[in-house]
Amino acid sequence: MEYEIGPEESVSEAVVRAVSAVEGRKPCSLRPLADVVDPTALDSLFDPRYDGTPRTGGRLSFVYNDCCVTIDNGEYLTLLSLEDRVCDERGREPSDSCVR
């Protein structure tokens, strides 16, 4: 599943919303995101710089609630089930960051 992060939506909120949609569960029923990654730090990675200019580039992948979550440029999320055993849709071999 691909998810576009809205302009007023934080990256951490987008992760929880996307995972809950994929799993068909309410966000409050998911494991807390903070058990996996610090939500404030996650948001800060993709927030604009102090002078207001946008950050460009950057990719982060982690496992959350049986989904491999990949964030690209703070604008898009890609979610893959761990059953797929691969984080990257381009067919690369599984890496430690993508597989349990």
Side-chain angles (χ1 to χ4, degrees), residues 1-13:
M1 171 196 181
E2 291 187 8
Y3 181 93
E4 186 172 353
I5 300 171
E8 301 300 319
E9 184 176 33
S10 71
V11 173
S12 60
E13 291 171 341

Side-chain angles (χ1 to χ4, degrees), residues 22-89:
V22 164
E23 294 190 0
R25 296 170 53 189
K26 293 182 180 183
C28 62
S29 72
L30 299 177
R31 173 183 182 188
L33 182 61
D35 285 355
V36 177
V37 64
D38 180 335
T40 302
L42 177 61
D43 294 338
S44 295
L45 283 173
F46 297 103
D47 277 348
R49 293 183 171 96
Y50 289 108
D51 65 1
T53 59
R55 294 184 194 273
T56 56
R59 172 181 271 190
L60 178 68
S61 295
F62 58 91
V63 174
Y64 174 58
N65 264 56
D66 295 327
C67 289
C68 182
V69 178
T70 300
I71 303 161
D72 285 304
N73 200 34
E75 297 175 341
Y76 300 97
L77 293 175
T78 303
L79 300 177
L80 292 175
S81 168
L82 283 182
E83 292 175 8
D84 295 336
R85 308 232 359 124
V86 179
C87 238
D88 194 300
E89 65 276 7

